[in-house]
Amino acid sequence: MSELYKTPGAAKRLNVSESYLNQLRVRGGGPKFLRLGRSIRYRDEDLAAWAEAGAASSTSEYTPHAA
């Protein structure tokens, strides 16, 4: 099993704020997450996939992650 991050760790790994990650979780468009009881966890590979999906080679290719 891959490493699981709580929201603060996931936000740090992605270099975004916790509140931004929370907003994405509510609105959609953020990385996949797991709900374990009342706890939210993020898998390392899901964080990496979400970050990679936002990669662009020029500003004309750029589309924001958030839906």
Side-chain angles (χ1 to χ4, degrees):
M1 178 182 267
S2 66
E3 186 168 357
L4 297 176
Y5 293 92
K6 292 181 180 179
T7 301
K12 185 174 182 179
R13 176 109 166 79
L14 293 171
N15 198 28
V16 299
S17 70
E18 290 179 45
S19 64
Y20 178 65
L21 201 51
N22 289 333
Q23 289 173 22
L24 290 176
R25 192 170 59 245
V26 171
R27 291 188 319 219
K32 290 181 181 179
F33 62 91
L34 303 169
R35 185 179 298 272
L36 305 173
R38 292 173 42 177
S39 299
I40 299 297
R41 298 290 188 272
Y42 294 89
R43 292 182 294 202
D44 191 45
E45 63 264 20
D46 292 332
L47 297 175
W50 181 78
E52 187 62 32
S57 47
S58 74
T59 55
S60 62
E61 290 181 356
Y62 175 74
T63 55
H65 275 105

